[in-house]
Amino acid sequence: MKKALITGITGQDGSYLAELLLNKGYKVYGLTRRSSTSVTSRITHLLGDIELLPGDLLDQTSLFSAVEESDPDEIYNLAAQSFVQTSWNQPVLTSEFTATGVTRVLEAMKKIKPKARFYQASSSEMYGKVQAVPQSEDTSFYPRSPYGVAKLYGHWMTVNYRESFNMHASSGILFNHESPRRGLEFVTRKITYHVAMIKNGLAHEVRLGNLDAKRDWGFAGDYVEAMWLMLQQDQPDDYVISTNETHTVKEFVELAFGYADLDWKKYVKIDEKFYRPAEVDLLIGDYSKAKKKLGWAPKTSFKELVKMMVDCDLELVKSQKPR
C-alpha cells in the first residue's frame, strides 16, 4: 500500500486529492495545524479513512515528525496562505507560509525520506504581468502580488532541490481552479454563493472588483488528477495545468446569475476596495505538455463548472434557510 502525506489537506485541493488517493488504495496522512476551532468541514466524510498529523509550515520540527511518522512514498505540498488579496495585507506571513514553508517541507523530506516523491503547488499568479499569451512552462515569470512572489520562491526552490540533491520533485503550475469547496473569499465562490443568497431573499447585492480581469478557470477535481500523474512519472518535471481558455469575471457573473434566472445588473455593485494594487489582467495556460507527457486534459467545461457551483450553493443556502 502506497502512503501519501498531504499538507493543506483541509483545503479545496487537499480534500479532492485525498479522495482520489483513497480511491487508488493509498494510506493517506494529512498535516493539520492545531486550532481551537475545527477546520475539517471539507474532509468530514473522510475522517474515518485518513490519519491527521499535527504540523505547521512555520515549524520545522513538526514537519520532521510528520514525515517520520507517515513514512510517505509521496508528499503533496498544498498548504499556503492562498488568498491573493490577503497577501497584500499580510505579506510577511504570506512569505513565511507560501515561500519559506516550501523549503521547510523539502528539508524534512531530504533529511527523513529523500527517496519520496514531492509535488509543489505552484501557481499561474507567478506569470502576473504576462510576457506571452498563452502561458507555458517556458514563459518568463513576472509576479504582481506578494502571493505570486512567494509562490515563485517555492517553485524555484523545488527546482533547486531537484537539481542539487537529485530529488523527485515536481511542480504543477496550476491556473485558477474552482469547485463548490472553494472558500467564500474567492471571487468565483463569492459570486455563486451570493447568487444563492439573493435567489432565496437573504441578500440584495454582491460587491465585486474588476469585472474585466480574464482568468483560465478549471475544476479542482480534474486538476488533482494531474498532481498525482506528475508523481507517477520516471522523471520529475514542471507542468502547466489549465484549460487553454480564458473568461472574464463578467462572463462568470452573467452565467451564474443566468442559471438562477436573475438579472445580474440589478445586484452586482462595483467596489474599488476589491481592486488589486497591481492587477493581473489576463491568464490563459497552454497545457499541451501535460497532455503529451501525462495524458492529462480537463474534463469539466467552464459552463459546467459555473452550473455545478451555483447548483451546490442553491442547495446549501436552501438547507440553511430558516423555515
Short mmCIF file of all heavy atoms in Angstrom, two decimals, residues 35-87:
data_model
loop_
_atom_site.label_atom_id
_atom_site.label_comp_id
_atom_site.label_asym_id
_atom_site.label_seq_id
_atom_site.Cartn_x
_atom_site.Cartn_y
_atom_site.Cartn_z
N SER A 35 -5.72 24.03 16.14
CA SER A 35 -6.62 25.18 16.15
C SER A 35 -7.71 24.96 17.20
O SER A 35 -8.08 23.82 17.50
CB SER A 35 -7.27 25.35 14.77
OG SER A 35 -8.25 26.36 14.79
N SER A 36 -8.18 26.06 17.77
CA SER A 36 -9.23 25.95 18.79
C SER A 36 -10.59 25.65 18.17
O SER A 36 -11.52 25.25 18.85
CB SER A 36 -9.32 27.25 19.60
OG SER A 36 -9.55 28.35 18.73
N THR A 37 -10.69 25.84 16.85
CA THR A 37 -11.94 25.53 16.15
C THR A 37 -11.66 24.54 15.03
O THR A 37 -10.57 24.50 14.46
CB THR A 37 -12.57 26.80 15.53
OG1 THR A 37 -11.62 27.42 14.67
CG2 THR A 37 -12.97 27.78 16.62
N SER A 38 -12.65 23.73 14.71
CA SER A 38 -12.48 22.70 13.68
C SER A 38 -12.44 23.34 12.30
O SER A 38 -13.23 24.22 11.96
CB SER A 38 -13.63 21.70 13.76
OG SER A 38 -13.54 20.78 12.69
N VAL A 39 -11.49 22.88 11.48
CA VAL A 39 -11.39 23.38 10.10
C VAL A 39 -11.47 22.21 9.12
O VAL A 39 -10.94 22.28 8.02
CB VAL A 39 -10.08 24.17 9.89
CG1 VAL A 39 -10.10 25.47 10.66
CG2 VAL A 39 -8.87 23.33 10.28
N THR A 40 -12.14 21.16 9.54
CA THR A 40 -12.15 19.94 8.72
C THR A 40 -13.45 19.75 7.94
O THR A 40 -13.75 18.64 7.52
CB THR A 40 -11.91 18.70 9.62
OG1 THR A 40 -12.94 18.65 10.63
CG2 THR A 40 -10.55 18.75 10.29
N SER A 41 -14.19 20.82 7.72
CA SER A 41 -15.51 20.68 7.08
C SER A 41 -15.42 20.03 5.69
O SER A 41 -16.32 19.28 5.30
CB SER A 41 -16.20 22.04 6.98
OG SER A 41 -15.41 22.95 6.22
N ARG A 42 -14.35 20.30 4.95
CA ARG A 42 -14.24 19.75 3.59
C ARG A 42 -13.88 18.26 3.59
O ARG A 42 -14.03 17.59 2.57
CB ARG A 42 -13.18 20.51 2.79
CG ARG A 42 -13.54 21.96 2.48
CD ARG A 42 -12.47 22.57 1.59
NE ARG A 42 -12.70 23.97 1.29
CZ ARG A 42 -12.21 24.99 2.00
NH1 ARG A 42 -11.48 24.73 3.07
NH2 ARG A 42 -12.45 26.23 1.66
N ILE A 43 -13.35 17.76 4.72
CA ILE A 43 -12.91 16.35 4.77
C ILE A 43 -13.65 15.55 5.84
O ILE A 43 -13.21 14.45 6.19
CB ILE A 43 -11.38 16.25 4.99
CG1 ILE A 43 -10.97 16.98 6.28
CG2 ILE A 43 -10.62 16.77 3.79
CD1 ILE A 43 -9.53 16.72 6.69
N THR A 44 -14.77 16.08 6.34
CA THR A 44 -15.52 15.37 7.37
C THR A 44 -15.87 13.96 6.95
O THR A 44 -15.77 13.01 7.73
CB THR A 44 -16.82 16.15 7.71
OG1 THR A 44 -16.47 17.47 8.14
CG2 THR A 44 -17.61 15.45 8.81
N HIS A 45 -16.24 13.80 5.67
CA HIS A 45 -16.65 12.49 5.17
C HIS A 45 -15.47 11.53 5.02
O HIS A 45 -15.67 10.34 4.76
CB HIS A 45 -17.36 12.65 3.82
CG HIS A 45 -16.52 13.27 2.75
ND1 HIS A 45 -15.99 14.54 2.85
CD2 HIS A 45 -16.10 12.79 1.54
CE1 HIS A 45 -15.30 14.82 1.76
NE2 HIS A 45 -15.34 13.77 0.95
N LEU A 46 -14.24 12.04 5.19
CA LEU A 46 -13.05 11.20 5.02
C LEU A 46 -12.34 10.87 6.34
O LEU A 46 -11.38 10.09 6.34
CB LEU A 46 -12.03 11.92 4.11
CG LEU A 46 -12.50 12.33 2.70
CD1 LEU A 46 -11.38 13.09 2.00
CD2 LEU A 46 -12.93 11.11 1.89
N LEU A 47 -12.80 11.46 7.43
CA LEU A 47 -12.05 11.38 8.68
C LEU A 47 -11.84 9.95 9.18
O LEU A 47 -10.86 9.67 9.86
CB LEU A 47 -12.74 12.22 9.76
CG LEU A 47 -12.67 13.74 9.54
CD1 LEU A 47 -13.43 14.49 10.63
CD2 LEU A 47 -11.22 14.22 9.47
N GLY A 48 -12.74 9.05 8.81
CA GLY A 48 -12.56 7.66 9.22
C GLY A 48 -11.55 6.90 8.38
O GLY A 48 -11.12 5.81 8.75
N ASP A 49 -11.14 7.50 7.26
CA ASP A 49 -10.26 6.80 6.31
C ASP A 49 -8.86 7.40 6.21
O ASP A 49 -7.98 6.81 5.57
CB ASP A 49 -10.89 6.82 4.90
CG ASP A 49 -12.24 6.15 4.88
OD1 ASP A 49 -12.36 5.05 5.44
OD2 ASP A 49 -13.18 6.73 4.31
N ILE A 50 -8.66 8.57 6.80
CA ILE A 50 -7.35 9.22 6.73
C ILE A 50 -6.81 9.42 8.14
O ILE A 50 -7.54 9.30 9.13
CB ILE A 50 -7.43 10.59 6.02
CG1 ILE A 50 -8.35 11.55 6.79
CG2 ILE A 50 -7.91 10.42 4.59
CD1 ILE A 50 -8.46 12.93 6.18
N GLU A 51 -5.52 9.70 8.23
CA GLU A 51 -4.90 9.96 9.53
C GLU A 51 -4.34 11.38 9.52
O GLU A 51 -3.52 11.72 8.67
CB GLU A 51 -3.80 8.96 9.83
CG GLU A 51 -3.22 9.10 11.23
CD GLU A 51 -2.33 7.95 11.64
OE1 GLU A 51 -2.47 6.84 11.05
OE2 GLU A 51 -1.48 8.15 12.52
N LEU A 52 -4.78 12.19 10.49
CA LEU A 52 -4.32 13.56 10.58
C LEU A 52 -3.15 13.66 11.55
O LEU A 52 -3.18 13.08 12.63
CB LEU A 52 -5.46 14.49 11.03
CG LEU A 52 -6.67 14.55 10.10
CD1 LEU A 52 -7.72 15.50 10.66
CD2 LEU A 52 -6.27 14.98 8.69
N LEU A 53 -2.12 14.40 11.13
CA LEU A 53 -0.93 14.59 11.95
C LEU A 53 -0.78 16.08 12.26
O LEU A 53 -0.99 16.91 11.36
CB LEU A 53 0.32 14.10 11.21
CG LEU A 53 0.33 12.63 10.75
CD1 LEU A 53 1.58 12.36 9.93
CD2 LEU A 53 0.28 11.71 11.96
N PRO A 54 -0.42 16.43 13.49
CA PRO A 54 -0.23 17.85 13.80
C PRO A 54 1.04 18.37 13.15
O PRO A 54 2.06 17.68 13.10
CB PRO A 54 -0.11 17.84 15.33
CG PRO A 54 0.42 16.49 15.67
CD PRO A 54 -0.17 15.56 14.65
N GLY A 55 0.96 19.57 12.62
CA GLY A 55 2.14 20.15 11.99
C GLY A 55 1.85 21.54 11.47
O GLY A 55 0.70 21.94 11.32
N ASP A 56 2.92 22.28 11.17
CA ASP A 56 2.78 23.66 10.76
C ASP A 56 3.95 24.00 9.84
O ASP A 56 5.11 23.69 10.16
CB ASP A 56 2.79 24.56 12.00
CG ASP A 56 2.29 25.96 11.70
OD1 ASP A 56 2.70 26.53 10.67
OD2 ASP A 56 1.50 26.50 12.50
N LEU A 57 3.68 24.63 8.72
CA LEU A 57 4.74 25.01 7.80
C LEU A 57 5.70 26.03 8.40
O LEU A 57 6.77 26.27 7.85
CB LEU A 57 4.16 25.54 6.48
CG LEU A 57 4.11 24.53 5.34
CD1 LEU A 57 3.22 23.36 5.68
CD2 LEU A 57 3.64 25.19 4.04
N LEU A 58 5.31 26.64 9.53
CA LEU A 58 6.20 27.58 10.20
C LEU A 58 7.13 26.88 11.19
O LEU A 58 8.03 27.51 11.75
CB LEU A 58 5.39 28.65 10.94
CG LEU A 58 4.41 29.48 10.10
CD1 LEU A 58 3.77 30.56 10.97
CD2 LEU A 58 5.11 30.11 8.91
N ASP A 59 6.91 25.60 11.43
CA ASP A 59 7.63 24.86 12.47
C ASP A 59 8.37 23.67 11.86
O ASP A 59 7.76 22.64 11.56
CB ASP A 59 6.65 24.41 13.55
CG ASP A 59 7.31 23.60 14.65
OD1 ASP A 59 8.52 23.78 14.87
OD2 ASP A 59 6.62 22.78 15.28
N GLN A 60 9.69 23.80 11.70
CA GLN A 60 10.47 22.75 11.05
C GLN A 60 10.40 21.42 11.79
O GLN A 60 10.27 20.35 11.18
CB GLN A 60 11.93 23.19 10.95
CG GLN A 60 12.82 22.22 10.19
CD GLN A 60 12.54 22.19 8.70
OE1 GLN A 60 12.86 23.15 7.99
NE2 GLN A 60 11.95 21.13 8.21
N THR A 61 10.45 21.46 13.12
CA THR A 61 10.46 20.23 13.91
C THR A 61 9.19 19.42 13.68
O THR A 61 9.23 18.19 13.57
CB THR A 61 10.61 20.55 15.42
OG1 THR A 61 11.81 21.30 15.60
CG2 THR A 61 10.68 19.27 16.24
N SER A 62 8.05 20.10 13.59
CA SER A 62 6.79 19.38 13.37
C SER A 62 6.76 18.71 12.01
O SER A 62 6.16 17.65 11.84
CB SER A 62 5.60 20.34 13.51
OG SER A 62 5.52 21.25 12.41
N LEU A 63 7.44 19.30 11.03
CA LEU A 63 7.49 18.69 9.70
C LEU A 63 8.39 17.46 9.69
O LEU A 63 8.08 16.46 9.05
CB LEU A 63 7.97 19.72 8.67
CG LEU A 63 7.05 20.94 8.48
CD1 LEU A 63 7.69 21.94 7.52
CD2 LEU A 63 5.68 20.52 7.99
N PHE A 64 9.51 17.53 10.41
CA PHE A 64 10.35 16.35 10.56
C PHE A 64 9.53 15.20 11.16
O PHE A 64 9.58 14.07 10.68
CB PHE A 64 11.55 16.64 11.49
CG PHE A 64 12.64 17.44 10.85
CD1 PHE A 64 13.39 18.33 11.61
CD2 PHE A 64 12.95 17.31 9.50
CE1 PHE A 64 14.41 19.08 11.03
CE2 PHE A 64 13.96 18.06 8.92
CZ PHE A 64 14.71 18.95 9.69
N SER A 65 8.77 15.51 12.21
CA SER A 65 7.98 14.48 12.90
C SER A 65 6.91 13.89 11.99
O SER A 65 6.68 12.68 11.98
CB SER A 65 7.32 15.07 14.16
OG SER A 65 8.29 15.53 15.07
N ALA A 66 6.24 14.76 11.22
CA ALA A 66 5.16 14.30 10.34
C ALA A 66 5.69 13.37 9.24
O ALA A 66 5.08 12.35 8.93
CB ALA A 66 4.44 15.49 9.72
N VAL A 67 6.83 13.73 8.65
CA VAL A 67 7.42 12.88 7.61
C VAL A 67 7.90 11.56 8.20
O VAL A 67 7.72 10.49 7.62
CB VAL A 67 8.57 13.62 6.88
CG1 VAL A 67 9.27 12.68 5.90
CG2 VAL A 67 8.04 14.84 6.14
N GLU A 68 8.48 11.64 9.40
CA GLU A 68 8.96 10.42 10.05
C GLU A 68 7.80 9.48 10.38
O GLU A 68 7.88 8.28 10.14
CB GLU A 68 9.71 10.79 11.33
CG GLU A 68 10.61 9.69 11.86
CD GLU A 68 11.64 10.24 12.83
OE1 GLU A 68 11.30 11.11 13.65
OE2 GLU A 68 12.79 9.79 12.76
N GLU A 69 6.72 10.03 10.91
CA GLU A 69 5.59 9.19 11.32
C GLU A 69 4.84 8.62 10.12
O GLU A 69 4.40 7.46 10.14
CB GLU A 69 4.62 10.00 12.20
CG GLU A 69 3.50 9.16 12.78
CD GLU A 69 2.69 9.89 13.83
OE1 GLU A 69 3.14 10.94 14.34
OE2 GLU A 69 1.57 9.42 14.15
N SER A 70 4.66 9.40 9.07
CA SER A 70 3.89 8.93 7.91
C SER A 70 4.73 8.07 6.96
O SER A 70 4.17 7.26 6.22
CB SER A 70 3.31 10.12 7.14
OG SER A 70 4.33 11.00 6.71
N ASP A 71 6.05 8.27 6.96
CA ASP A 71 6.95 7.50 6.10
C ASP A 71 6.40 7.44 4.67
O ASP A 71 6.19 6.37 4.10
CB ASP A 71 7.14 6.09 6.66
CG ASP A 71 8.21 5.30 5.92
OD1 ASP A 71 9.17 5.92 5.43
OD2 ASP A 71 8.06 4.06 5.79
N PRO A 72 6.16 8.61 4.05
CA PRO A 72 5.40 8.63 2.79
C PRO A 72 6.21 8.25 1.55
O PRO A 72 7.41 8.47 1.47
CB PRO A 72 4.98 10.10 2.69
CG PRO A 72 6.10 10.84 3.36
CD PRO A 72 6.57 9.94 4.48
N ASP A 73 5.51 7.67 0.58
CA ASP A 73 6.08 7.48 -0.75
C ASP A 73 5.95 8.76 -1.56
O ASP A 73 6.76 9.02 -2.45
CB ASP A 73 5.36 6.34 -1.47
CG ASP A 73 5.48 5.02 -0.73
OD1 ASP A 73 6.58 4.46 -0.71
OD2 ASP A 73 4.46 4.57 -0.14
N GLU A 74 4.89 9.53 -1.26
CA GLU A 74 4.62 10.77 -1.99
C GLU A 74 4.25 11.86 -1.00
O GLU A 74 3.51 11.62 -0.04
CB GLU A 74 3.49 10.56 -2.99
CG GLU A 74 3.80 9.52 -4.06
CD GLU A 74 2.61 9.13 -4.93
OE1 GLU A 74 1.51 9.71 -4.75
OE2 GLU A 74 2.77 8.23 -5.78
N ILE A 75 4.77 13.07 -1.24
CA ILE A 75 4.44 14.23 -0.42
C ILE A 75 3.85 15.29 -1.34
O ILE A 75 4.47 15.67 -2.34
CB ILE A 75 5.69 14.79 0.30
CG1 ILE A 75 6.28 13.73 1.24
CG2 ILE A 75 5.34 16.06 1.07
CD1 ILE A 75 7.62 14.15 1.84
N TYR A 76 2.67 15.75 -1.00
CA TYR A 76 1.99 16.80 -1.78
C TYR A 76 1.93 18.06 -0.92
O TYR A 76 1.22 18.08 0.10
CB TYR A 76 0.58 16.37 -2.17
CG TYR A 76 0.54 15.17 -3.10
CD1 TYR A 76 0.56 13.87 -2.59
CD2 TYR A 76 0.46 15.33 -4.48
CE1 TYR A 76 0.52 12.76 -3.44
CE2 TYR A 76 0.41 14.24 -5.34
CZ TYR A 76 0.44 12.96 -4.81
OH TYR A 76 0.39 11.87 -5.65
N ASN A 77 2.66 19.09 -1.31
CA ASN A 77 2.67 20.33 -0.54
C ASN A 77 1.64 21.32 -1.10
O ASN A 77 1.93 22.07 -2.03
CB ASN A 77 4.06 20.97 -0.53
CG ASN A 77 4.08 22.20 0.36
OD1 ASN A 77 3.51 22.20 1.44
ND2 ASN A 77 4.72 23.26 -0.10
N LEU A 78 0.46 21.28 -0.52
CA LEU A 78 -0.63 22.15 -0.98
C LEU A 78 -0.89 23.29 -0.01
O LEU A 78 -1.66 24.21 -0.32
CB LEU A 78 -1.92 21.33 -1.14
CG LEU A 78 -1.84 20.04 -1.96
CD1 LEU A 78 -3.23 19.43 -2.12
CD2 LEU A 78 -1.21 20.29 -3.32
N ALA A 79 -0.29 23.24 1.17
CA ALA A 79 -0.55 24.25 2.20
C ALA A 79 0.07 25.59 1.81
O ALA A 79 1.19 25.64 1.28
CB ALA A 79 0.00 23.79 3.54
N ALA A 80 -0.66 26.67 2.06
CA ALA A 80 -0.16 28.02 1.77
C ALA A 80 -1.16 29.03 2.30
O ALA A 80 -2.30 28.68 2.62
CB ALA A 80 0.01 28.22 0.27
N GLN A 81 -0.72 30.27 2.40
CA GLN A 81 -1.66 31.38 2.52
C GLN A 81 -2.03 31.67 1.08
O GLN A 81 -1.25 32.26 0.34
CB GLN A 81 -1.00 32.59 3.20
CG GLN A 81 -1.98 33.71 3.57
CD GLN A 81 -2.72 34.33 2.41
OE1 GLN A 81 -3.91 34.02 2.16
NE2 GLN A 81 -2.08 35.17 1.64
N SER A 82 -3.22 31.25 0.68
CA SER A 82 -3.51 31.16 -0.76
C SER A 82 -4.43 32.25 -1.31
O SER A 82 -4.80 32.19 -2.48
CB SER A 82 -4.14 29.79 -1.06
OG SER A 82 -5.33 29.63 -0.32
N PHE A 83 -4.78 33.24 -0.50
CA PHE A 83 -5.68 34.29 -0.99
C PHE A 83 -4.86 35.51 -1.38
O PHE A 83 -4.18 36.11 -0.53
CB PHE A 83 -6.72 34.64 0.08
CG PHE A 83 -7.82 35.54 -0.40
CD1 PHE A 83 -8.43 35.33 -1.63
CD2 PHE A 83 -8.25 36.60 0.38
CE1 PHE A 83 -9.45 36.16 -2.08
CE2 PHE A 83 -9.28 37.44 -0.05
CZ PHE A 83 -9.87 37.22 -1.29
N VAL A 84 -4.90 35.87 -2.65
CA VAL A 84 -4.06 36.96 -3.17
C VAL A 84 -4.32 38.26 -2.42
O VAL A 84 -3.38 38.97 -2.03
CB VAL A 84 -4.27 37.14 -4.68
CG1 VAL A 84 -3.50 38.36 -5.19
CG2 VAL A 84 -3.84 35.89 -5.44
N GLN A 85 -5.58 38.61 -2.20
CA GLN A 85 -5.92 39.87 -1.54
C GLN A 85 -5.29 39.96 -0.16
O GLN A 85 -4.74 40.98 0.25
CB GLN A 85 -7.44 40.02 -1.43
CG GLN A 85 -7.92 41.43 -1.07
CD GLN A 85 -7.77 42.40 -2.23
OE1 GLN A 85 -7.91 42.02 -3.38
NE2 GLN A 85 -7.46 43.65 -1.92
N THR A 86 -5.32 38.85 0.59
CA THR A 86 -4.73 38.84 1.93
C THR A 86 -3.22 39.02 1.88
O THR A 86 -2.61 39.59 2.79
CB THR A 86 -5.07 37.51 2.64
OG1 THR A 86 -6.49 37.43 2.82
CG2 THR A 86 -4.40 37.40 4.01
N SER A 87 -2.60 38.58 0.80
CA SER A 87 -1.14 38.69 0.72
C SER A 87 -0.68 40.13 0.71
O SER A 87 0.46 40.43 1.09
CB SER A 87 -0.62 37.93 -0.52
OG SER A 87 -0.79 38.66 -1.72
#
